[in-house]
Amino acid sequence: MLHLEHQVQKDIGVWRMQLTKIARRSLVELRVTAFDFGSETPRVVIRDPKLLATLPPPQSCKPIGMKDLIIDANFPRTLDQRVYHLGLRSGEVANRIITVGSPPRADAIAVHLDAQPKPFRLFSERGFLTITGRFKGVPVSICSIGMGYPNMDFFVREVRECLIGEMIVIRLGSCGGLRDFPVGSVVVPRASVAVTRNFDYDFYGGGSTKSEMPYRISKPAVADVELATILYRSLDSMLAPTRVIPGVVNASADSFYSSQGRKTLFPDHNSDLINHLLSSVDDLATLEMETFHLFHLAASWSGPPKPPIKPATNGTDGAATQSPVLDTLDLSEGDRPRIRAASAQMIFASRTSQEFIVPEEVERLESLSGRAVLQALVEVDIPGDRLHPDAGSVWT
Ligand code: R1P
Ligand code: URA
């Protein structure tokens, strides 16, 4: 504990030197509400809305991130507490989130947000776009994250650091259909598997190795059942006559091309991949690139770290000592805020008929599906004590 306090004081000392221009008050007074015990140097995260309000306001036109002074190599943040790639800080992202792949899709969905308060909009230097406002009075965020597992990883981990309480995420993305569903249908998968290129396979030499397969299929990661049910009902009622299909399985690939069985100029050894996937994964219906990682991270997150109880070393009777701040983090399993995830997948490409969706249909589908996802998000019940505080947030 003494060691910890020493480290925290050291960090605060560095901050004090560098932040005096920004916040003319004693940093020792800060209400520090998150600690990371996993790294050698405990990390201090400010979530106190009053303090955050004294830091510079968000600059929606200036990209934030890589050129700012960063104070922690383990979980990089700028001095004004912004995460490194999304550029957000606490109070700029809501508990209920729709995540999409492209900024125009995010903007098309943002049209449905309430006019007041005016939605907050932040583009990060790395191309992540966050729009936060209210839908039917409920705080929501729309996050455009780009493509693939790494971007989903940045999004989930960095948003989780900016949020107090539950994190409810619905991905709205496009996909390829592997069954006879028409393009323009929407799928709500119950689970997803990862399909990854096996880099140990002999791709250059003709693939003679018998022991290695060119692609690997993971075990499934599952959607949150209640969230997926609410999502399906909302899409089904708002998209008619569009077909909405629940309960199938998705595969998230690490390439749009090779590990989705497409032919390019590269020797990808994938001519039999789609048949292999269909025969190996029950109920497989779609291929895209992010859902597995979202479900996997949501399932593996077990809440903020529980503070370790360390024996006292200051000559007392050895009883455990903890600060009042740390005590507030000592949550039992059932109390821990969760990450709950589901996915809505719009079939843009039919891999059976080779059809591709037309642009006018994309526009209609993205807007209607976006509205249905927002509706699903606001129908999810989050107890008041698991909501990020309104005070100091961009949605007040
Ligand atoms: C490929 O074209 C991209 O489209 C799909 C895939 O998952 C991949 O990201 O999703 P989005 O439409 O959300 O980007
Ligand atoms: N997105 C994908 O990842 N694959 C498709 O076939 C269509 C959209």
Side-chain angles (χ1 to χ4, degrees):
M1 194 61 214
L2 282 179
H3 170 70
L4 171 66
E5 277 169 2
H6 174 70
Q7 291 291 353
V8 169
Q9 290 302 330
K10 227 171 89 188
D11 286 352
I12 285 178
V14 173
W15 284 3
R16 193 200 308 241
M17 276 193 309
Q18 291 163 328
L19 273 179
T20 36
K21 282 192 216 125
I22 299 168
R24 292 191 178 282
R25 55 189 276 195
S26 164
L27 287 172
V28 184
E29 288 167 18
L30 303 185
R31 193 166 69 84
V32 171
T33 56
F35 287 80
D36 177 3
F37 293 94
S39 55
E40 267 182 19
T41 308
R43 189 156 46 87
V44 183
V45 179
I46 301 169
R47 293 205 176 98
D48 183 339
K50 282 202 210 103
L51 175 73
L52 285 169
T54 68
L55 299 180
Q59 299 177 344
S60 37
C61 43
K62 173 186 166 261
I64 287 170
M66 326 303 288
K67 294 183 191 71
D68 293 273
L69 186 60
I70 301 291
I71 47 175
D72 180 356
N74 176 66
F75 196 92
R77 272 178 212 268
T78 61
L79 279 173
D80 62 342
Q81 294 285 292
R82 297 187 174 282
V83 293
Y84 193 40
H85 303 91
L86 272 70
L88 295 168
R89 70 181 182 208
S90 182
E92 293 178 352
V93 60
N95 300 94
R96 296 173 168 89
I97 303 165
I98 169 171
T99 175
V100 300
S102 76
R105 188 178 303 155
D107 282 324
I109 297 166
V111 165
H112 302 301
L113 297 181
D114 300 349
Q116 294 299 330
K118 187 168 177 274
F120 161 91
R121 195 170 188 281
L122 184 81
F123 233 125
S124 81
E125 193 176 295
R126 291 291 185 161
F128 292 88
L129 169 64
T130 304
I131 304 172
T132 297
R134 288 179 182 257
F135 179 70
K136 299 187 175 176
V138 179
V140 289
S141 290
I142 304 165
C143 296
S144 167
I145 67 167
M147 295 179 276
Y149 305 158
N151 276 15
M152 180 57 80
D153 197 79
F154 284 125
F155 159 71
V156 174
R157 291 177 199 270
E158 293 193 1
V159 166
R160 188 57 268 182
E161 289 279 335
C162 295
L163 260 183
I164 295 171
E166 298 289 90
M167 178 169 166
I168 312 284
V169 185
I170 297 179
R171 166 173 151 74
L172 174 63
S174 63
C175 71
L178 297 173
R179 308 256 209 94
D180 288 333
F181 306 136
V183 292
S185 308
V186 179
V187 166
V188 180
R190 68 167 195 276
S192 176
V193 297
V195 181
T196 47
R197 186 175 175 97
N198 175 6
F199 294 102
D200 293 334
Y201 182 79
D202 180 14
F203 281 95
Y204 329 112
S208 54
T209 339
K210 288 265 182 320
S211 58
E212 297 281 359
M213 295 288 281
Y215 298 91
R216 292 184 169 134
I217 310 173
S218 76
K219 291 179 185 155
V222 296
D224 181 278
V225 176
E226 188 200 355
L227 186 62
T229 306
I230 295 172
L231 174 62
Y232 164 69
R233 288 194 187 131
S234 180
L235 287 162
D236 196 43
S237 68
M238 293 170 73
L239 259 62
T242 294
R243 188 159 168 208
V244 183
I245 304 126
V248 291
V249 175
N250 160 253
S252 294
D254 62 357
S255 163
F256 179 80
Y257 297 104
S258 64
S259 36
Q260 292 191 30
R262 289 187 161 94
K263 308 281 169 297
T264 69
L265 299 175
F266 289 78
D268 286 321
H269 299 267
N270 62 356
S271 49
D272 196 36
L273 178 59
I274 289 190
N275 285 338
H276 176 57
L277 290 172
L278 285 166
S279 60
S280 312
V281 181
D282 287 345
D283 300 327
L284 184 65
T286 56
L287 270 169
E288 47 77 92
M289 300 176 63
E290 297 82 14
T291 295
F292 173 82
H293 202 65
L294 172 63
F295 290 180
H296 172 74
L297 285 181
S300 37
W301 199 74
S302 56
K306 206 171 168 179
I309 309 284
K310 289 193 180 169
T313 53
N314 56 1
T316 65
D317 62 1
T321 51
Q322 287 194 190
S323 80
V325 171
L326 299 190
D327 287 342
T328 63
L329 291 177
D330 192 5
L331 304 170
S332 70
E333 280 304 318
D335 288 336
R336 292 180 179 225
R338 291 169 296 169
I339 302 179
R340 301 173 63 189
S343 178
Q345 306 182 337
M346 304 170 285
I347 300 183
F348 276 17
S350 166
R351 302 302 302 283
T352 52
S353 71
Q354 304 307 330
E355 256 184 291
F356 207 93
I357 193 168
V358 295
E360 304 76 55
E361 178 61 3
V362 171
E363 206 177 308
R364 185 194 80 92
L365 199 58
E366 287 187 338
S367 178
L368 284 179
S369 307
R371 192 174 171 81
V373 172
L374 290 172
Q375 180 61 37
L377 284 169
V378 304
E379 284 175 18
V380 178
D381 182 48
I382 307 181
D385 61 355
R386 285 165 172 253
L387 281 171
H388 194 98
D390 284 346
S393 73
V394 296
W395 56 83
T396 47

